[in-house]
C-alpha cells in the first residue's frame, strides 16, 4: 500500500535510505529448495555499484551484502530471505546546503510536501541507491529463471542523440559488459563514452535508452486483463529512478503502421512449435507471452543533479541558487543496465509462479 | 492475483466476456457519501460504445448499464458498487470459423495455451468489450476527482503518420468531442478521418496515439518507490488492449537532452505557489505529483483484425488462412479516448485516497 | 482494502444488500478447466435459503442464481466467474420504522457512524443475506476440493445449553441434513428443535455452536507465520454474521491440559503414513495441515432481532422503543451450517492453490 | 502471499529464524511524522524476552534492536521502517539430535513436508522467537494509537484449571506487570506461579488464557464484510504460536444465551454519547467498533516441548524417542501478554488508518 513492495507471489519489500545505516530487501515467496549462488548476486551488485568506472559517480561503496535469513545450507527454505548492505561512504555534509533548498527536477519538493518532513541526506529514500536492494532480489529471481531456461540481457542502445542502429538480433549481447558504457557495439560504445566524458566536462548530464531482451520465456506468462505481462514490465521499468518512457514490440513506431504490416503471422517452426514469422508483438499477445523473444525499450531522462548553477526556491519560498556538489553520474544508463535486468527478472519470476495456478 | 482487479483502495474487479451474458464491474473502496450522477456514467459509455460513428465498428450495443448495489438514494454507501451491462448484439456465428484457427496478433493462441481452453466467441475475455466496465468505474472515479478540482482530458494526437504538431497548451481541449476522431484541432481531425476511411476501404487498420492531460492534481500523489504515480499510470495504460507504449513528461525525447536543458527550475508563481518554469517532469517528480499539469502519451498499435487474408495455423498445427469477419474498428484511438481517461481517473482516485494516509 | 474480498488466489468479492436489486459474487482466480456442476451450487443455496423449514425465517426467496461470466461449455475458463441472485421478497416497509432507530446489538449504529449514511432496508449490507453469495463461491470451491479428495462437513453441535455430547468420530455426518436443525444425532436434534420452537414462541432467539470437520486434507496447507491455516479458518468463521468465537483442535479445553496430555505422538500408520495417535492439534501443526482430520467449533450468539420490546435511541439521541417486525430466524445455526462449510471451502481451496508455490 | 506479512496499510513483514543471524521486521505504511520513542519499544521487548524470570525459558537474549531505516531525527519519515535484533545465544547443538526426528505437536514434520527441507535449529522460522519482531512493530503501532487515546492491556486470566474469576472491570490492570505471571490479581497470581513451578518440576508444560482489553477505541473501526474488526483480531491472535482459540464479547458463553439476555440496549450516557448498557457485543457490532471497550480471550495450548520422553518417528519413518533439551517455557502465557498486545495494536492501527477512507 505504501509502495515499497513489488510482486504478488515472489514479493519484495525494500528498505533504506541513501545515507542511512543500511539498505536492504526482504523477499517473501521465493519457493523453497532453490540453490542460491551468492557470488552471482555480488556480480550484479558490482555491475550496478558506484565508482566502477570513469564515467560513473565516484561515491565509493563496496556494496557487500549480508544474508540475514531464509537461506540454509545454500538453499532457500521458503521463509523470507532478508539481505542488507551497510552504507559506508556517507558524506552527508555534501547535502547540508540542500536541507532547505529544493533541487530542480529532484524529489526534494514533493517528498517534503507529501510527508511533511524528509531525510535530505543524499536524497534519502528517493536516491537511486535503493535500486541496489532490487538488484539483490533480481539476482535471486534470475537464478530461478535460469533453471527454467529464461535469460535476460539488457544493454545501452542510446546516449543522447547517439543511437545504436542495429537491432538486438544483429548484436552479440555477451559483449555488453566488455566496455564501460555497456553497449555491445564497440564503435558506438566508444562514441557514447566520449559523449558522456564531454558532458561531464561541461558539468552537465545526459539521457539515454536501455533495451532489454528476454529469451526462452515459455508461453503463458501474464494475467489479463490488468496484469498483462507488458503492463507489469512497464510498471517495473517506470518505477526505476529517472525513467520517463517504456515501449515494447513495435512500440511507438507501431502507431504509424497498418495492421497488414504490423501483424505477426503464425507458422509451424522447424522444431514443430507454433511461432510467428515477425515479432512486432514483442513476444506478448493479449498480455500473455507467446514464446517468442520479449524485447522493450526504457527511456531515461538526464540525471537531475548538474554541476551548474540553477535557480530554485527553498522551503520558505525564497529564491535561491543551487549547484550540485556530492558525487553524481553524468549519465545513468550504464549503471541502469543491471537494474533493468533485475526488475525484468522480478516481473518474470512472479508471473512464472502465478502462471502455475492458471489451470487445473 | 488472477489479474482482473485494479487499484489498492478504490479497487475495481471487472468481469464478463464479449459474447457472454453480461460484462460488469464491482468497485470496492469507493468512500461513502459520494453523490453519483448516473448520466455522467452513461455519457462516457456512449463515447466508448461501438457503432457511434462512421469510423468505428458497426456492432450495435446500447451499453445501458444497471446498478446492482452500493448506491442508495443517489449516494455511495461504502458498500461495493456493482454495475453491469447485458450484451445484446452477439453474433457469435461470426466467430465459429475461428474456433480452431489462431488469428494473427490476437490473444487466441496465448489464451488457448495458458488456460487449456477458451471462449472463442468474439475474443471472449480478451475483447476490448471489457473496457466498457472500466469506463463505468472510471466515470465514478471522475466524479470524486472533480469535487477535488482534478480534471482529466484525453484526445487523439496521432493516427498513423499524421501527427498533431501543437502541444496541449495550444489546444482547446473542450473541442475534442466535436469531431468523430476526437482530435481537438479541426484541420488535423479532418485528415485523420480521411485516413481512417481510406484504411477501412482497404480492409486494413491503422495505429495511433492518445495524449492525456490532468489538471488540478494536488501535490503529493504517488507512493515511492514502486507505486510511483507515473508507474501506475503506465501500467494502467499498458493494460488497455492494443497499447504498446507509454511516455510522460519529456518521455523518449528527453533521452536526447542534457540535464541543463531538461531540468525544471522552481520559482514562486504569481499566486505564491512553488511552481516550475518548464514542465519536462510532466507534473511528477520522484514519483509524486508536484502540482503542475500531468501529461502523457499512449501508443496504440493497429487493430489486429483486418479484412484481408492472412496465414496462420490452427490448434492442431495445420496451416490455415484467416480473414476477419465480424465488425471491427479500423482505428481504435477515437474510442480509446474515454478509456484512457477512465484508467487515468482510476489511478488518480486511488492515489488520492492513498495519499490521505501519508502523514499523521 | 474495503473488506469485501476474501482469499489471496481464489479470491472472491461479494456485493449486494438485503433489499437492493441483487446480491452476487465475483470469483477471480478459479483455475481454468474445472467442470462446474451448477446443481451442486443450487443445493447448497437451498440449504441456506430462508423459509426452508418451520424453524427458520419465513422470508421467501427462491435464491435462484444466474451465471454472468467465466463458465464456458460447463467449465471454468480462467476468467472471473460472476454470479448473482435477484432479490425477490423485499418487504422494505417492515423496516421503515427503523430508519431512525438503532436496533440493539445490530450494525445500525456502527454503519451509520462509520459511513455517515446507511441503507436501512433489512440491514442493507450488514444482513446475513450477503452470505448467499459466499455459499455460491464456496460451492465452486468444494467441487475443486472434492476432485482432490478433500471433504467438508459441518453440523450443529449446540443450541443454547443443549450440547451434543458425542465427538464427530462417533457420529454419522451423512445424517446431518436429515432433520431441520442439522444435528446428526436424532435424539439431540429433536430436543434442539423443540427448544428453538419454544424460543420463537417467546418472541426470543437463542445461540448455538456449529462444528466443522475436514477430511482428506493433504499435508502442507497453510502459510506461516501469519497466514497459518487455522488463523485463516478463524478469520473466515469470525467474518460470518453473529459469530463470537472460534476454536480448533483442543481449543479452550486444551488450555487446562499439560503438554504430556495434549501432545500428539507420531507413529507409522497401517498404510505407512506418518500419523499422530491422538489429534489434539486438530490436524494443523505450526499453522500447516499435517494430514489428520481438521476440526473446529464456531460460536454463534443469539440473533439480535427479537419480537420483544427493547429500549434504544435514535439518530438524534432520543430514547425510543424498538421491537422486531420483519421475518427473522429464532436460531441461526441450522442455516449457518452451509455457510460454515462454504467459508471453510474457500480457505482450503485458497491454501491448496497457495501451497503449489511452496517449493521448486 | 507467502504469509509473512500482516496488515493492509500499516503492513509489516517479519523475517528471521530462531538460530539464524537475526530476526527483524519491515513496516511499510507507518505515516510520516510520528514521534517514536525507542525506549518504549525496548520495554515491550524486555517484557517478551526469554530469561526474564524464574518461570520462563533460560535462553539468554538481550534482544537489543537496531533501527536500520525509516526514522530520521526521531520521527517516522513515511519510508519503510526496518529494525532487527541479532541472535546471540544460539545453542544450535541442542537441536542436533532433532535433525531427523519430528517432535510431537511441533512444526517439524509439517515444515519438512511443505518445503522439502527445513532449518531445524531451534525450530527455525516456526520458533516463537519470530514474535519479537512483532513486538517491535506493535510497540510503534501503540505509540500511534496512544496519541489517539487508544490503550491496550492484556493479562493472564488462566493457567491450567486455575481461572481468575473476576472480570476485567474488577481488576486494576496497571498491576499486571507487578508479578512474573502477569496476572493482576495477586492471590491468583501466586497460585499460578506455584502451578507453573510445579509443572516445570515435573518436566511438563501447561496451557492458559490471555485476556485483552482495548479502551478508547473510537466508533467506526472494522471493514465489513470480511475484514470485520473481530475477524482480524481473531486472525492476529490465532497467528501467534500455540494459540488454539479466540472469543470476544460474550464468546462461547453467549451461545447459551437468549437474545433477550444477550442484546445490548442503547442509551444516552452522562456525557451525551450513544452507549450500551451492557457490553456482550465486546465493543464491536456488525464488525465495526461501537465505542465501548473491546475485550477478548486467547487460548494457548501447553508448550509442545516437554522434558519427558515421547514416542515419535524420524524422516525415514523409523520409530524414535524424543525428549526436550534446549531451554523452554513451562507455560507460555506470561511472555505471551506483550505479544497479544502487539498483535492487537497492529490490527487496531491498521483499521484506524483504513477507517480514514470510509467516507468523503
Amino acid at each position: 500500500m505504501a509502495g515499497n513492495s513489488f510482486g504478488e507471489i515472489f514479493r519484495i519489500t525494500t528498505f533504506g535510505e541513501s545515507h542511512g545505516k543500511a539498505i536492504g530487501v526482504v523477499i517473501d515467496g521465493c519457493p523453497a529448495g532453490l540453490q542460491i549462488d551468492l557470488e552471482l548476486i555480488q556480480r550484479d551488485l558490482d555491475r550496478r555499484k558506484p565508482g566502477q568506472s570513469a564515467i560513473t559517480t565516484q561515491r565509493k561503496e563496496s556494496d557487500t551484502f549480508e544474508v540475514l535469513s531464509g537461506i540454509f545450507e545454500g538453499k532457500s527454505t521458503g521463509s523470507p530471505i532478508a539481505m542488507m548492505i551497510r552504507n559506508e561512504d556517507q558524506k552527508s555534509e555534501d547535502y547540508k546546503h540542500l536541507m532547505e533548498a529544493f533541487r530542480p527536477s529532484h524529489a526534494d519538493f514533493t517528498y517534503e510536501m507529501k510527508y511533511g518532513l524528509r531525510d535530505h541526506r543524499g536524497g534519502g529514500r528517493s536516491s537511486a541507491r535503493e535500486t541496489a536492494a532490487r538488484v539483490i532480489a533480481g539476482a535471486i529471481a534470475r537464478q530461478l529463471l535460469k533453471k527454467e531456461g529464461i535469460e535476460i540481457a539488457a544493454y545501452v542502445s542510446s546516449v543522447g542523440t547517439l543511437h545504436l542502429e542495429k537491432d538486438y538480433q544483429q548484436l552479440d549481447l555477451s559483449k555488453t559488459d566488455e566496455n564501460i558504457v555497456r553497449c555491445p557495439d564497440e564503435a558506438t560504445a566508444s562514441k557514447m563514452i566520449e559523449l558522456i566524458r564531454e558532458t561531464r566536462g561541461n558539468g552537465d548530464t545526459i539521457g539515454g535508452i536501455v533495451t532489454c531482451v528476454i529469451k526462452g520465456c515459455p508461453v503463458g506468462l501474464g494475467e489479463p486483463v490488468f496484469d498483462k505481462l507488458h503492463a507489469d514490465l512497464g510498471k517495473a521499468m517506470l518505477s526505476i529512478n529517472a525513467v520517463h518512457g517504456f515501449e515494447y514490440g513495435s512500440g511507438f513506431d507501431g502507431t504509424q503502421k497498418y495492421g497488414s504490416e504490423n501483424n505477426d503471422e503464425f507458422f509451424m517452426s522447424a522444431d514443430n512449435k507454433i511461432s510467428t514469422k515477425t515479432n512486432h508483438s514483442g513476444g506478448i499477445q493479449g498480455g500473455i507471452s507467446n514464446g517468442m523473444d520479449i524485447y522493450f525499450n526504457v527511456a531515461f531522462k538526464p540525471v537531475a543533479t548538474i554541476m551548474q548553477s540553477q535557480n530554485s526556491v527553498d522551503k520558505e519560498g525564497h529564491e535561491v541558487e543551487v549547484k550540485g556538489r556530492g558525487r553524481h553520474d553524468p549519465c545513468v544508463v550504464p549503471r541502469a543496465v543491471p537494474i533493468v535486468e533485475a526488475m525484468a527478472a522480478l516481473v518474470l519470476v512472479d508471473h512464472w509462479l502465478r502462471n502455475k495456478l492458471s489451470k487445473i
Side-chain angles (χ1 to χ4, degrees), chain A residues 20 52-53 60 86 124 140 144 252 286 318 337 339 343 359:
Chain A
Q52 66 182 266
S53 80
K60 292 283 178 215
R86 295 244 174 226
I140 293 179
L144 195 159
F252 276 89
H318 301 127
V337 164
I339 304 168
M343 291 308 298
K359 57 185 171 224

Side-chain angles (χ1 to χ4, degrees), chain A residues 155-303:
Chain A
Y155 61 92
V156 170
S157 57
S158 284
V159 171
T161 53
L162 279 175
H163 188 64
L164 171 55
E165 294 302 332
K166 295 174 188 160
D167 282 344
Y168 76 86
Q169 294 96 332
Q170 302 164 278
L171 297 167
D172 177 355
L173 300 187
S174 70
K175 295 198 171 167
T176 298
D177 275 18
E178 290 185 3
N179 59 65
I180 57 176
V181 79
R182 294 205 168 88
C183 171
D185 183 76
E186 204 49 50
T188 312
S190 302
K191 287 185 217 161
M192 288 173 169
I193 293 166
E194 182 50 33
L195 175 56
I196 294 173
R197 281 186 202 275
E198 190 185 298
T199 301
R200 160 176 279 170
N202 297 334
D204 214 336
T205 60
I206 193 160
I209 297 177
V210 173
T211 297
C212 185
V213 183
I214 302 167
K215 288 172 176 287
C217 183
V219 186
L221 274 53
E223 301 291 324
V225 292
F226 294 107
D227 299 350
K228 292 184 164 99
L229 187 57
H230 57 267
D232 278 349
L233 283 169
K235 172 168 175 168
M237 299 306 142
L238 288 156
S239 79
I240 301 171
N241 309 48
V243 173
H244 271 236
F246 170 85
E247 59 178 1
Y248 82 103
S250 56
F252 276 89
D253 279 352
T255 66
Q256 305 194 359
K257 294 278 169 45
Y258 290 105
S260 56
E261 297 170 286
N262 198 63
N263 282 355
D264 297 317
E265 294 192 337
F266 286 108
F267 76 109
M268 297 305 293
S269 68
D271 55 345
N272 217 31
K273 265 179 38 188
I274 296 177
S275 305
T276 63
K277 288 181 197 169
T278 50
N279 185 17
H280 302 116
S281 299
I284 302 171
Q285 288 173 330
I288 300 169
S289 62
N290 69 355
M292 307 300 290
D293 292 348
I294 295 169
Y295 62 93
F296 55 83
N297 293 321
V298 187
F300 290 82
K301 69 161 189 171
V303 172

